[in-house]
Amino acid sequence: MDYLAGLNPSQRAAVEHTEGPVMIVAGAGSGKTRVITYRVAHLIRRGVDPFNILVLTFTNKAAKEMRERIMKVVGDEAKNIWMGTFHSVFAKILRVEAEHIGYPRNFTIYDTDDSKSLLRSILKEMQLDDKLYNASFVYNRISSAKNNLISAQEYLSSEQIQAEDHSNGRGQLGQIYMTYTQRCYKAGAMDFDDLLFKTNVLFREHPDVLHKYQHKFKYLMVDEYQDTNFSQYLIVRKLAAINENICVVGDDAQSIYAFRGANIQNILNFEKDYPDLKVFKLEQNYRSTQNIVNAANSIIANNKNQLKKNVFSENEQGEKIKVCRAFSDNEEGKIVAEAISQERALKGLAYRDFAILYRTNAQSRAMEEALRKINIPYKIYGGTSFYQRKEIKDLIAYFRLTFNPNDEEAIKRVINYPRRGIGDTTVDRILIAADKHQRTLWEVISQAPVYLDGRSAGAVGAFATMIQGFQVVAKNHSAFDAAMHIAQHSGILKDLYADKSVEGLSRYENIQELLNGIKEFTEREDIAEKGLDVFMQDVALLTNDDNDKDPNADTVSLMTIHSSKGLEFPHVFIVGLEENLFPSQLSLNSRSELEEERRLFYVAVTRAEKKLTLSYATSRYRWGTLNNCEPSRFLDELNPACLELDFRSRPAPENAGSFADERQAWGQRDVFTRPKPKVMPKTTAMLPKAHTPTPGFAPSDTSNLQVGMEVEHERFGFGKVINLEGSKNDVKATIFFKELGQKQLLLKFAKLRIV
């Protein structure tokens, strides 16, 4: 396979330049993943040992895709590359080296829920106001400190930080951080931020360990470098210090995660770290039409703080970007839903070809209502991940206890689930005994007769014996056999099976799905160790972007713009382009914040392949009050040659006329003209015939509707029921209509007449 033949000159140059510091500035849709994978393959083809290559990504999905592509070029050698997310790679290193910093190798990894649960316990013990010291706020404060490598001790000893906290009425934050750190350590647990924070501590305090990995990783590649924080930056810098064969790939124009600690200066100042840096720019966009690329360029040109590049497209010119004005957010939803329905019918598209992007989650409501009204199926991304569901977290807590019985949060989660006679009073006694005798919760539980009395000691002792039994099974059996044993003998399977409600059945099926996933894990050929503890590490390190997003599901995609990064769709709608919404009111305090909002808009625009529609409402409800809205300043920054207006006949509020009038009111030149009315073609053969309902049409009772029945719909005409799914009030019928083809309808909304 001549993997270099399909690369353009810029891509090929970036792939072949393997020695020394390299920065690849990759514009949107420019083939970045191809360049990274072929560059790694090229290193291996040149004789570099895959064990000496480290590739860091931000999602497991990206790492998996890259490894599969590399395997197509170099074969099974790709399995030996150190490739994965920052958190997964350094968790792997910490498993080996943790004892250097006083942690067991089988440390637990706390997810966000575990961390917040522990913080709530600490706040309760310290008798602090949980409104002033909200667990989410405290968690984010601690996370920010760790990402900037500020330990709890340094936090407490910093006069500046302490003065800031006291001035905000939160003078106990430092002590909470210290207690949280101590409790995690005592439980043998690290949170997500610790995986990077503790790696920095390890490398700083143990130069011999750092030296070992500096010589192991002779070639480093970092994807999405614009999204790295200070902690990640420092680790990469240290690892590359000896060989300096470091290649970072990214696009400053797509740096949108400052709220998560990402520092755009890492990519903007990379040349200062490596003066002999070689820079390659991938500027050809293979994804979008020329109109969309030109519009995106006109947006990002307004940012002062950027690496200059000239992104271009050789694709078709494409349709102009439509700008729609709605009277309200509900009308905006209606406009979008109708546009999707019409485009799909006229062009024979699938629902999966459409995506609706918004700045805030709350905006989905109006879109959902409009889509439901005309039976358009949709899926919201960024909802509850499979591994965040209660029943899954319950069983995984048992797995965690099996390998780390000191895991305090796991103990509290399942010690009385399913119910085994260990109530809150007994749990409080365990906590008091642990504190009084300076013991871990597990030490108290495993020696229950020493610390507890009566019936509670018996119930707690039985729980300890059960966990010890799980430890023996897990040590001697495969991940699947151990997981099945724990699911059965913990009582979880029995408890969920006994619940015959729709929700109970769903939870039981979710547990089955988890066990199926573990079975698949044990049958994978690309991993050597297949114990339940290894599977647990994989689960703990799943990123938000790794949620199951079935690309084949025929639904319209709804998501925030942040969630859309890395995705692409033929047709994209960006809604809510209004001042104080997008750009956000919270992002207008400084140039750097405004520029991040503009980069967010750039990311949204560049998700579109064929067609892009922008919309805004002239009024929107906020906190129950209807407010007039101004169009976003970002609309003014778009190249007018790329745009087409679609202003409906409904007038704007009194304080605004057409979009052009609004621009003039801001003292800017009028660059828009109302488009000429489109003349419909004389022939309508391409359009479905309008259905005339049967005289006296009245919907039937469809509670007993069956497959094979003939039905009539007021608009869609006559059809035949070919499938029914769902239960009670949520039965969905698949009907083949003679004029329109197959459609799915919710019976409670469909208004069908049984023929």
Side-chain angles (χ1 to χ4, degrees):
M1 174 184 177
D2 185 4
Y3 55 94
L4 298 177
L7 300 174
N8 68 35
S10 298
Q11 292 173 331
R12 181 161 184 157
V15 165
E16 293 183 317
H17 192 97
T18 58
E19 305 302 306
V22 170
M23 178 165 69
I24 301 173
V25 182
S30 62
K32 173 190 65 136
T33 302
R34 170 184 284 195
V35 170
I36 296 173
T37 53
Y38 284 2
R39 195 172 191 275
V40 174
H42 193 63
L43 283 168
I44 296 171
R45 281 281 185 91
R46 287 181 52 250
V48 175
D49 190 333
F51 284 102
N52 296 141
I53 301 172
L54 171 62
V55 182
L56 297 169
T57 67
F58 273 82
T59 67
N60 291 304
K61 179 183 173 185
K64 183 173 181 287
E65 180 185 347
M66 288 180 194
R67 193 184 298 275
E68 288 172 352
R69 289 198 192 184
I70 296 168
M71 284 182 70
K72 290 179 180 177
V73 181
V74 300
D76 287 348
E77 280 292 289
K79 295 177 182 177
N80 300 326
I81 303 163
W82 278 64
M83 177 182 286
T85 64
F86 276 88
H87 293 90
S88 65
V89 167
F90 296 114
K92 187 176 177 182
I93 289 175
L94 285 170
R95 292 282 181 207
V96 177
E97 313 291 350
E99 290 167 1
H100 287 284
I101 53 174
Y103 273 81
R105 290 189 175 190
N106 64 339
F107 62 83
T108 294
I109 300 173
Y110 278 178
D111 66 13
T112 304
D113 285 348
D114 297 322
S115 296
K116 289 181 180 178
S117 174
L118 175 55
L119 285 169
R120 280 190 284 270
S121 298
I122 293 170
L123 294 171
K124 187 177 179 182
E125 292 162 16
M126 293 177 67
Q127 299 182 333
L128 295 171
D129 182 352
D130 61 2
K131 291 184 176 63
L132 185 62
Y133 291 94
N134 176 274
S136 293
F137 172 84
V138 176
Y139 173 79
N140 289 332
R141 183 73 170 169
I142 292 172
S143 174
S144 178
K146 288 182 179 178
N147 286 334
N148 286 288
L149 302 184
I150 300 171
S151 67
Q153 189 61 52
E154 290 166 331
Y155 191 102
L156 275 169
S157 60
S158 168
E159 292 182 6
Q160 181 181 344
I161 293 175
Q162 291 305 302
E164 181 184 341
D165 285 349
H166 280 284
S167 69
N168 292 324
R170 296 187 176 96
Q172 293 296 309
L173 279 172
Q175 189 54 54
I176 298 169
Y177 184 8
M178 178 62 78
T179 305
Y180 173 77
T181 300
Q182 292 168 344
R183 292 279 279 275
C184 285
Y185 182 76
K186 189 177 177 182
M190 295 187 196
D191 63 23
F192 254 46
D193 297 308
D194 279 328
L195 296 176
L196 303 180
F197 181 83
K198 300 295 183 185
T199 299
N200 271 294
V201 171
L202 174 70
F203 288 167
R204 183 184 69 221
E205 297 181 357
H206 298 276
D208 55 323
V209 176
L210 173 61
H211 186 264
K212 168 183 170 182
Y213 289 100
Q214 284 174 330
H215 285 80
K216 177 177 180 59
F217 301 131
K218 295 176 180 176
Y219 293 86
L220 272 73
M221 290 193 70
V222 186
D223 188 20
E224 304 285 11
Y225 190 67
Q226 77 279 351
D227 294 335
T228 53
N229 60 33
F230 179 63
S231 182
Q232 292 162 328
Y233 162 80
L234 213 56
I235 292 172
V236 170
R237 184 98 190 271
K238 286 178 179 177
L239 286 175
I242 290 181
N243 295 299
E244 289 202 348
N245 290 325
I246 178 171
C247 173
V248 301
V249 186
D251 181 6
D252 59 297
Q254 297 186 66
S255 178
I256 59 173
Y257 294 119
F259 69 96
R260 289 199 320 213
N263 186 354
I264 192 173
Q265 297 305 320
N266 290 350
I267 192 167
L268 295 178
N269 295 334
F270 194 65
E271 193 165 3
K272 293 180 181 177
D273 293 333
Y274 301 95
D276 55 342
L277 178 71
K278 182 70 175 175
V279 179
F280 297 93
K281 295 182 179 180
L282 309 183
E283 297 173 308
Q284 183 171 355
N285 181 304
Y286 291 93
R287 174 190 301 154
S288 307
T289 64
Q290 293 181 38
N291 251 324
I292 292 171
V293 170
N294 292 340
N297 287 343
S298 65
I299 296 160
I300 207 64
N302 291 275
N303 272 10
K304 293 184 177 180
N305 205 11
Q306 63 172 300
L307 298 169
K308 292 294 183 182
K309 56 186 176 297
N310 178 36
V311 179
F312 66 96
S313 172
E314 293 182 354
N315 294 338
E316 61 184 348
Q317 189 69 31
E319 295 184 46
K320 289 196 173 186
I321 296 167
K322 188 172 287 188
V323 181
C324 299
R325 182 188 68 198
F327 177 71
S328 66
D329 51 350
N330 286 334
E331 188 185 49
E332 182 182 40
K334 183 181 177 184
I335 289 171
V336 170
E338 288 177 350
I340 291 173
S341 180
Q342 290 169 9
E343 285 281 313
R344 181 175 174 272
L346 291 172
K347 298 181 180 178
L349 301 171
Y351 286 121
R352 73 176 72 91
D353 293 330
F354 299 89
I356 304 172
L357 310 183
Y358 35 78
R359 180 65 181 84
T360 64
N361 278 306
Q363 291 169 256
S364 74
R365 180 202 58 80
M367 296 297 136
E368 289 185 73
E369 287 183 6
L371 294 170
R372 280 200 300 267
K373 281 179 180 175
I374 56 175
N375 296 312
I376 293 179
Y378 65 88
K379 181 175 181 181
I380 295 180
Y381 291 116
T384 303
S385 158
F386 178 79
Y387 289 100
Q388 293 299 316
R389 292 169 184 165
K390 179 186 180 299
E391 61 275 12
I392 301 299
K393 288 179 73 73
D394 288 338
L395 183 52
I396 284 178
Y398 275 106
F399 296 167
R400 282 166 43 178
L401 273 182
T402 299
F403 295 100
N404 178 15
N406 288 322
D407 187 336
E408 185 175 314
E409 290 306 306
I411 289 173
K412 289 191 290 187
R413 186 175 188 98
V414 298
I415 192 169
N416 197 38
Y417 176 73
R419 293 185 180 279
R420 52 176 60 90
I422 305 175
D424 291 344
T425 303
T426 302
V427 173
D428 286 342
R429 286 176 184 160
I430 294 170
L431 291 167
I432 292 168
D435 186 55
K436 179 180 177 181
H437 299 284
Q438 291 297 294
R439 296 286 186 266
T440 65
L441 295 190
W442 176 250
E443 287 172 328
V444 173
I445 290 167
S446 60
Q447 301 173 56
V450 176
Y451 299 101
L452 304 171
D453 53 20
R455 191 179 66 178
S456 60
V460 172
F463 175 74
T465 301
M466 178 180 69
I467 298 300
Q468 289 163 342
F470 293 167
Q471 291 172 334
V472 173
V473 171
K475 191 174 181 180
N476 298 297
H477 292 79
S478 71
F480 175 74
D481 290 339
M484 180 60 81
H485 178 90
I486 294 170
Q488 291 172 334
H489 291 82
S490 65
I492 283 184
L493 275 183
K494 182 180 178 182
D495 185 69
L496 293 177
Y497 185 75
D499 183 354
K500 299 300 183 182
S501 68
V502 175
E503 295 79 9
L505 178 62
S506 175
R507 287 192 284 267
Y508 185 75
E509 290 173 346
N510 286 339
I511 292 292
Q512 286 185 317
E513 186 59 33
L514 174 63
L515 294 170
N516 291 341
I518 297 173
K519 182 67 173 176
E520 290 175 10
F521 168 82
T522 61
E523 294 173 353
R524 279 173 54 182
E525 296 181 359
D526 60 328
I527 52 172
E529 297 181 38
K530 298 181 180 179
L532 186 57
D533 55 336
V534 181
F535 175 82
M536 287 296 300
Q537 179 172 317
D538 280 358
V539 169
L541 293 166
L542 284 172
T543 61
N544 290 335
D545 302 307
D546 298 316
N547 293 346
D548 181 22
K549 299 178 181 178
D550 181 4
N552 297 315
D554 195 19
T555 56
V556 174
S557 299
L558 274 67
M559 67 189 80
T560 64
I561 301 168
H562 282 100
S563 299
S564 75
K565 189 164 180 290
L567 303 177
E568 54 191 47
F569 302 91
H571 291 233
V572 170
F573 295 82
I574 306 173
V575 300
L577 275 159
E578 298 138 36
E579 282 294 293
N580 298 324
L581 181 56
F582 195 16
S584 165
Q585 188 172 11
L586 300 175
S587 303
L588 301 177
N589 299 316
S590 68
R591 177 176 297 279
S592 62
E593 290 175 342
L594 178 59
E595 291 201 348
E596 172 134 342
E597 285 289 291
R598 189 175 284 114
R599 292 194 295 270
L600 190 59
F601 185 38
Y602 176 85
V603 166
V605 168
T606 54
R607 297 312 93 200
E609 298 172 353
K610 300 288 187 184
K611 186 167 183 177
L612 175 64
T613 302
L614 312 175
S615 66
Y616 67 96
T618 55
S619 63
R620 188 177 294 269
Y621 275 99
R622 287 182 185 164
W623 307 109
T625 303
L626 188 64
N627 295 304
N628 291 335
C629 306
E630 288 184 0
S632 169
R633 69 187 69 189
F634 295 154
L635 289 170
D636 275 311
E637 296 173 356
L638 288 160
N639 182 348
C642 303
L643 307 180
E644 172 190 332
L645 297 195
D646 183 12
F647 286 173
R648 300 298 170 103
S649 57
R650 182 193 293 270
E654 292 180 5
N655 67 330
S658 68
F659 186 54
D661 293 336
E662 293 164 11
R663 289 175 56 86
Q664 289 176 323
W666 301 340
Q668 298 177 8
R669 63 192 179 89
D670 179 1
V671 294
F672 288 104
T673 56
R674 188 180 298 273
K676 294 179 181 177
K678 290 185 178 178
V679 179
M680 294 301 294
K682 291 182 179 179
T683 175
T684 56
M686 69 179 77
L687 300 174
K689 295 177 182 177
H691 175 67
T692 303
T694 301
F697 177 92
S700 305
D701 175 4
T702 55
S703 58
N704 294 315
L705 190 70
Q706 296 178 11
V707 172
M709 284 185 170
E710 298 281 340
V711 294
E712 180 186 12
H713 186 279
E714 241 179 331
R715 286 196 296 123
F716 303 151
F718 292 97
K720 187 175 183 178
V721 180
I722 59 176
N723 188 40
L724 293 168
E725 57 183 298
S727 59
K728 295 183 179 178
N729 292 326
D730 291 311
V731 176
K732 186 187 292 182
T734 304
I735 302 171
F736 185 84
F737 290 100
K738 295 175 183 176
E739 298 293 341
L740 292 172
Q742 188 170 305
K743 277 187 172 292
Q744 283 190 328
L745 306 176
L746 276 173
L747 289 187
K748 61 184 177 184
F749 299 127
K751 296 182 180 178
L752 298 171
R753 183 180 76 86
I754 299 175
V755 178

